[in-house]
Amino acid sequence: MAEKTQYEELARSFSAIGVVKRDMGRILPPDCPGGSAGVLTLLGRHGDMRMSRLAELLSVDMSVTSRHVAHVAERGWIERLPDPDDRRSRILRLTPAGRDRLDDLYERTTQLLADRLGDWSDDEVGLLIGLMTRLRESFDDCRAGPRITPTASVTEAIAPVAEENTTEPTPRTPA
């Protein structure tokens, strides 16, 4: 187990992550704020779903989720279909325009990360991915998608995570 001073330093580092998140938020197009990008990303990663599941994945209440869904639906990026199991519910689905917007978000995010982390080695990026995945799992993040299989050198550095990582790579994920 880590020393108290390490946890204190980790807490300071988490505070500094706000700078990274703000920079990532700046690359979003004006018509697609963070909440809308989150809706598109989750539908792209998990597929069609009910609004209640989306609210759970977004970790916000239904009223906030409803506003985000209305925003993306008004732009034609998602459609709300009747749920065959419960006609009172709706199933949310990306439209072709929504997939195009999501591809644009992926490209923007990928380019930003490539610009900012261009001097990092592949192993360092892999290690960061593995450790962030493990961190999300430690906090029981329901949004954590499929796990990534780390490269051999990263496997040595994060052996406990590597033993569990056996599924396909995680899809591209914007901010």
Side-chain angles (χ1 to χ4, degrees):
M1 187 160 159
E3 297 289 323
K4 180 181 177 189
T5 56
Q6 288 177 304
Y7 290 123
E8 291 168 349
E9 181 59 31
L10 186 57
R12 284 189 289 276
S13 293
F14 284 141
S15 295
I17 293 292
V19 172
V20 175
K21 289 184 73 170
R22 281 189 296 279
D23 206 18
M24 292 184 87
R26 287 186 192 106
I27 65 166
L28 296 174
D31 66 340
C32 189
S36 297
V39 168
L40 296 175
T41 299
L42 291 170
L43 286 171
R45 181 182 304 147
H46 297 281
D48 302 354
M49 69 182 74
R50 286 182 175 181
M51 182 107 64
S52 58
R53 175 68 176 144
L54 182 61
E56 176 187 354
L57 292 170
L58 287 170
S59 300
V60 297
D61 68 41
M62 284 294 283
S63 65
V64 174
T65 302
S66 183
R67 284 193 298 274
H68 293 321
V69 165
H71 181 86
V72 296
E74 287 167 5
R75 281 149 186 79
W77 298 336
I78 67 165
E79 56 188 346
R80 295 178 265 199
L81 306 168
D83 184 340
D85 296 329
D86 180 357
R87 292 289 176 181
R88 297 168 296 166
S89 285
R90 296 282 177 250
I91 298 291
L92 307 175
R93 174 180 293 157
L94 281 176
T95 63
R99 290 205 182 277
D100 289 345
R101 173 52 77 187
L102 186 57
D103 287 344
D104 174 57
L105 294 173
Y106 287 149
E107 182 59 37
R108 290 169 183 257
T109 303
T110 301
Q111 187 59 52
L112 176 68
L113 291 171
D115 291 345
R116 298 297 192 270
L117 306 180
D119 61 339
W120 289 40
S121 71
D122 288 349
D123 287 346
E124 289 171 323
V125 173
L127 179 61
L128 179 62
I129 292 166
L131 292 173
M132 290 180 74
T133 299
R134 186 171 177 193
L135 178 66
R136 282 195 321 266
E137 290 170 353
S138 293
F139 281 84
D140 295 325
D141 183 358
C142 64
R143 294 171 295 176
R147 295 185 196 146
I148 296 174
T149 304
T151 61
S153 58
V154 174
T155 300
E156 295 168 9
I158 56 170
V161 174
E163 290 174 11
E164 299 173 3
N165 290 342
T166 58
T167 60
E168 295 298 313
T170 300
R172 301 170 296 180
T173 305

